[in-house]
């Protein structure tokens, strides 16, 4: 065996590094998009919990609270109540992490 055949050449090392960087260029945007969508889903779950609590209060006390603000200053949910024939519709609105405006409603009979 020759003394020069003991490792990778500079060209081989540079090629391997280029392949790793190319793979990273495709994976990084997917990762950031997925993490933003995960946070948006978590916000939606919190909004549904707020909506359920407000609907329960409307059903038991027949009164609505002021617009709800969560403990985190970034997450703001706005509640609206509408009297309709046969009950009350309670809606929660918010702007999610993915910059989409969302709205969920629940109808409470009674």
């Amino acid at each position: 065996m020759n003394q020069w055949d003991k490792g990778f050449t500079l060209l081989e090392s540079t090629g391997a590094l280029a392949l790793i960087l190319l793979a990273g260029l495709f994976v990084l945007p997917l990762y950031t998009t997925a993490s933003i969508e995960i946070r948006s889903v978590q916000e939606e779950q919190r909004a549904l919990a707020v909506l359920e609590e407000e609907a329960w209060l409307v059903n038991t006390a027949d009164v609505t609270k002021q617009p709800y603000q969560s403990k985190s200053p970034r997450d703001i949910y706005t509640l609206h109540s509408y009297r309709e024939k046969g009950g009350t519709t309670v809606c929660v609105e918010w702007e999610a992490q993915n910059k989409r405006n969302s709205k969920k409603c629940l109808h409470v009979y009674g």
Side-chain angles (χ1 to χ4, degrees), residues 19-64:
L19 287 174
I20 291 171
L21 288 174
L22 265 173
L25 284 174
F26 290 110
V27 171
L28 189 62
L30 293 174
Y31 174 75
T32 55
T33 303
S35 65
I36 288 172
E37 289 300 322
I38 286 171
R39 284 190 298 242
S40 296
V41 168
Q42 290 170 344
E43 285 179 351
E44 183 175 359
Q45 289 173 342
R46 283 194 302 265
L48 290 174
V50 167
L51 179 63
E52 192 173 292
E53 177 186 345
E54 184 70 17
W56 182 79
L57 287 172
V58 166
N59 194 25
T60 57
D62 201 26
V63 232
T64 57

Side-chain angles (χ1 to χ4, degrees), residues 61-85:
D62 201 26
V63 232
T64 57
K65 298 187 303 184
Q66 294 296 320
Y68 175 85
Q69 284 191 332
S70 69
K71 292 179 177 75
S72 170
R74 189 171 157 77
D75 299 335
I76 297 175
Y77 301 105
T78 308
L79 289 166
H80 303 285
S81 298
Y82 307 101
R83 283 261 182 227
E84 294 179 344
K85 187 177 182 180

